[in-house]
Amino acid sequence: MPDSGPLVTALAYAWLGGLTIPLGAWLAGRPQLFPRWLDGELRHTLLAFGAGALLAAVTLVLIPEGARFIPLWQQLLALSLGGVTFLLLEKHLPRTGLGLPLLLAMLLDFIPESMALGALLPQHAEAGLLLAVLIALQNLPEGFNAQRELQRLPAVAAHRHALLGLFALLSLLGPLCAWLGMRYLHSSPMLLGWLMLFSAGGILYLMFQDIAPKIPLRQHWGPPLGTLAGYMLGWAGQHLLHGVGA
């Protein structure tokens, strides 16, 4: 197992990335801050920004880093299995009475990304740092929109403070998953590659099935520019960390 230095760094990165979940949820519960925009352009723009950050995580970290560990046929198989598995998980939720696609999307990308962060950091510090930044960027709008979605449920609307506490607890999944990734995936590069490509396939499915359809807002410029801004931040972060394109 790696020494305590990278472990502490990975846990800190994962925790800071997760802290933007309750921050986004807190903002969603403060309509007085955005009295005219909360249900309109701001909500759609934040959702689009999160989609851009997710796309950056997939294309700049998960797929290129994961592809280094497994051959092409396994890369394609992992991507396709990820998409199908996330489809089946999503289809099961309505039968449980939950049906919360935004909360599902947040957890299904946050958990495997945090595991990948823990596994990557000891040997690929730059990729680990970039992934941590992208996790934080995507979790802010995802926490915001998941909170807004949950608040619309009659059984939840009267318990907003408890819901905020739940989101704070969810942020602790980051350090836990980072520890699991460092403990069990650090010495298993093939398994790490599978996890990264599998989660990338699932994230791509969720983006186009659940996230992207909620983004469009007619005759408004914020949402499409939000997607572009989220991806550009990820792209700029990769170049700054690797010192290319300067």
Side-chain angles (χ1 to χ4, degrees):
M1 173 155 178
D3 59 51
S4 60
L7 175 60
V8 171
T9 302
L11 295 181
Y13 283 177
W15 183 58
L16 290 174
L19 281 180
T20 56
I21 295 175
L23 176 58
W26 180 83
L27 288 172
R30 298 295 184 274
Q32 66 273 17
L33 297 178
F34 318 100
R36 297 176 58 186
W37 285 28
L38 190 56
D39 285 315
E41 187 153 332
L42 176 64
R43 182 169 61 88
H44 287 258
T45 301
L46 283 176
L47 191 62
F49 180 85
L54 271 174
L55 184 60
V58 167
T59 59
L60 301 179
V61 181
L62 293 178
I63 290 180
E65 290 293 326
R68 297 191 306 109
F69 302 119
I70 56 178
L72 177 60
W73 71 269
Q74 292 188 31
Q75 297 169 27
L76 298 176
L77 182 59
L79 283 168
S80 60
L81 286 177
V84 172
T85 301
F86 279 41
L87 178 154
L88 294 175
L89 286 171
E90 183 196 34
K91 295 299 182 183
H92 174 70
L93 278 185
R95 293 196 291 272
T96 68
L98 294 176
L100 307 174
L102 293 177
L103 180 62
L104 170 70
M106 180 175 68
L107 292 177
L108 288 182
D109 59 60
F110 180 44
I111 289 173
E113 284 176 344
S114 297
M115 294 180 69
L117 169 63
L120 279 175
L121 198 63
Q123 294 181 345
H124 305 283
E126 294 85 0
L129 177 57
L130 176 60
L131 185 57
V133 171
L134 293 174
I135 289 172
L137 288 174
Q138 73 195 38
N139 276 339
L140 178 64
E142 286 186 338
F144 180 96
N145 287 289
Q147 170 85 350
R148 291 290 295 165
E149 185 177 60
L150 286 168
Q151 287 176 174
R152 291 190 177 91
L153 298 178
V156 176
H159 304 283
R160 293 185 180 182
H161 294 294
L163 186 59
L164 185 59
L166 172 63
F167 277 83
L169 288 175
L170 289 178
S171 69
L172 298 178
L173 286 174
L176 174 62
C177 293
W179 177 82
L180 289 173
M182 185 170 286
R183 178 67 177 85
Y184 296 105
L185 297 176
H186 173 69
S187 58
S188 304
M190 181 172 290
L191 184 58
L192 174 61
W194 264 89
L195 171 70
M196 297 177 77
L197 271 297
F198 180 88
S199 61
I203 290 169
L204 288 173
Y205 168 80
L206 288 175
M207 281 183 60
F208 290 99
Q209 175 65 15
D210 288 321
I211 299 176
K214 293 180 173 65
I215 292 175
L217 195 60
R218 292 184 179 179
Q219 297 180 348
H220 288 268
W221 51 263
L225 288 183
T227 306
L228 179 61
Y231 190 85
M232 286 171 60
L233 277 178
W235 179 255
Q238 186 200 47
H239 279 240
L240 288 173
L241 288 173
H242 292 278
V244 297

